Amino acid sequence: MNYTLHQLQVFLMISKTKSVTKAAEELHLSQPAVSIQLKNLQDQFAIPLTEVVGRKLFITDFGKEIAIAAERILSEVYAINHKTAAFKGQLVGQLKISVVSTGKYVIPYFLNDFMSQHDGIELKLDVTNKVKVVESLEQNDVDFSLVSVLPDHLQIEKVELMPNKLFLVGNSLQTFPKKLYDTSVLETLPLIYREQGSGTRHVMEKFVQANMLPIHKKMELTSNEAVKQAVLAGLGYSVMPLIGLKNELSMGDVQIIPVKGFPIQSIWHLIWMKGKNFSPVAKAFLEFIHQEKDRIIQEKFDWCNKY
C-alpha cells in the first residue's frame, strides 16, 4: 500500500460531500486533480470505494470504513503537527466562527491582528443567515458566533462588541427634502426585505409591528449584497445595517432617509455556549477580544459615528 495523506484527505472530503466537485471546492483544488487522487487511491484496493448510480456518487460500505480510518489517521497527524508546534512555543489549532451575513463587514477587523500574530492558527469562518449560525453554535460545530440578535432559546455567554445601526436607505435619484419623516413614509415606499431567518429582517419586522405599519413588500432577497444592489438599481428601499454601506454612502450612491425612530439599533455580540470547553486557540482569541476590541472599534469603525 502506497497511499498518501493527501489521497486520504481528498477521499475523506469526497465521502463527506458525496461529490467530487464539492470536494474540489472545499479543498481549493481543481476537479480533475481530485478525480486523479481518488483514482490513485482506488487503484490500491480491489474493492470499490465509490459507485455512481444515476449520475450520483455514493460511498460503498467498504469506502465508508476507509473514510473512518482516514479521518482517524489525519486526526493523529494533525495532533502531531500541533504538538510539534506547541513544543516550539507556537499557538496552533483551528478557530471556528459562524457569522451572520452582515457580520462579514465586522468580523475580519477583529480577526486580522490576531491571525497575524499566530501563523499556526487555521481559521474556519462560515458566513450564513441567523438560523444556520445559531444551529452551528447549538451543535457545537463552532467556537463562537457573531450575531446582532441574541438567540432566546440557548444558554449562552457573550461579549458585546459594537452597535449595529440600521437605517432606511434608497438610491440617490429621488429627493427627500424633509429633515425628518414620520414612520408613515414606510407605508408609501416599496420595501425590499431580507429572507426569513435573517437578523436584519427580524429587527425590521419588530419595528414595523411596533408601529403598526401596513407595509408594501416589494421583494425578498437572500443576502445583504443582493438587497444593496436592488436598492442601487432603484427597485425599492430597505432597512439596512450602516456597517455595509460605507463605500456607497461616501460615493453618494445611496442616501439615508431620515425617519422618526431611526436608526434602529441592535448590538453585535460574540457569543458561545455556556460551559463551552475552549481550546487554547479559542481561549486566546477571547482574551484578545477583551483586550483589543476598544482599539479596533476606534480605529476601524469610528466613521459610523458620523451617522
Side-chain angles (χ1 to χ4, degrees):
M1 292 291 181
N2 295 310
Y3 48 79
T4 66
L5 293 174
H6 184 52
Q7 289 169 359
L8 294 177
Q9 182 186 34
V10 168
F11 180 65
L12 181 59
M13 187 57 68
I14 290 171
S15 72
K16 288 180 177 179
T17 61
K18 307 295 189 297
S19 166
V20 170
T21 300
K22 290 179 180 177
E25 291 173 356
E26 291 290 330
L27 295 169
H28 305 290
L29 298 171
S30 67
Q31 186 172 332
V34 170
S35 297
I36 289 170
Q37 293 301 321
L38 175 60
K39 181 180 183 303
N40 289 343
L41 181 64
Q42 177 62 77
D43 287 346
Q44 299 179 67
F45 299 100
I47 305 171
L49 299 170
T50 63
E51 58 183 347
V52 178
V53 180
R55 301 181 66 182
K56 189 172 182 180
L57 182 72
F58 292 88
I59 309 300
T60 65
D61 289 342
F62 177 68
K64 291 175 183 177
E65 293 295 327
I66 296 300
I68 292 170
E71 186 167 27
R72 186 165 57 246
I73 292 167
L74 291 169
S75 294
E76 289 297 325
V77 171
Y78 195 66
I80 290 171
N81 292 339
H82 282 192
K83 288 174 183 177
T84 302
F87 270 98
K88 294 179 180 179
Q90 298 176 9
L91 185 64
V92 293
Q94 287 188 335
L95 178 62
K96 296 174 285 186
I97 305 176
S98 58
V99 180
V100 294
S101 58
T102 310
K104 66 178 175 287
Y105 303 111
V106 176
I107 197 64
Y109 297 100
F110 290 93
L111 286 166
N112 182 46
D113 288 349
F114 180 75
M115 296 298 295
S116 297
Q117 293 169 13
H118 304 289
D119 293 336
I121 293 177
E122 176 190 350
L123 175 65
K124 297 189 73 174
L125 187 65
D126 183 25
V127 181
T128 183
N129 69 26
K130 173 177 169 279
V131 171
K132 292 182 179 178
V133 164
V134 173
E135 284 178 358
S136 69
L137 190 72
E138 188 172 15
Q139 293 169 10
N140 203 33
D141 292 333
V142 295
D143 300 307
F144 303 101
S145 294
L146 180 68
V147 297
S148 60
V149 178
L150 294 173
D152 55 12
H153 66 290
L154 296 180
Q155 289 190 322
I156 61 166
E157 296 183 72
K158 64 185 186 295
V159 172
E160 181 178 314
L161 293 186
M162 55 183 284
N164 180 35
K165 298 178 181 179
L166 295 96
F167 290 89
L168 177 66
V169 299
N171 69 11
S172 56
L173 297 181
Q174 187 172 344
T175 58
F176 290 85
K178 292 184 180 181
K179 290 185 177 180
L180 187 65
Y181 286 83
D182 188 80
T183 55
S184 59
V185 71
L186 289 164
E187 302 173 21
T188 67
L189 300 175
L191 291 181
I192 302 169
Y193 273 59
R194 284 287 307 277
E195 81 284 5
Q196 287 285 357
S198 159
T200 298
R201 175 164 177 159
H202 174 79
V203 172
M204 182 176 175
E205 288 183 329
K206 278 187 69 177
F207 182 85
V208 168
Q209 291 166 5
N211 288 274
M212 296 181 289
L213 300 171
I215 294 301
H216 170 40
K217 185 167 75 172
K218 176 76 170 180
M219 64 181 69
E220 182 177 306
L221 299 172
T222 57
S223 74
N224 195 66
E225 284 299 313
V227 172
K228 186 194 300 182
Q229 293 304 316
V231 169
L232 288 169
L235 292 175
Y237 300 80
S238 191
V239 174
M240 298 189 69
L242 175 66
I243 200 72
L245 297 170
K246 181 179 181 181
N247 293 335
E248 289 75 17
L249 286 167
S250 64
M251 296 293 292
D253 294 327
V254 300
Q255 62 177 315
I256 291 174
I257 302 164
V259 178
K260 184 179 179 181
F262 281 80
I264 307 171
Q265 187 161 301
S266 58
I267 301 293
W268 287 112
H269 284 97
L270 191 70
I271 65 174
W272 61 95
M273 292 297 291
K274 190 171 184 179
K276 172 76 175 176
N277 186 20
F278 283 134
S279 68
V281 170
K283 184 177 180 181
F285 179 63
L286 187 57
E287 291 173 354
F288 172 84
I289 291 296
H290 280 298
Q291 293 169 7
E292 301 293 335
K293 69 169 185 171
D294 291 340
R295 174 188 62 82
I296 294 169
I297 292 168
Q298 178 64 31
E299 289 180 1
K300 304 301 182 182
F301 299 104
D302 185 57
W303 66 271
C304 295
N305 295 325
K306 300 175 185 177
Y307 300 93

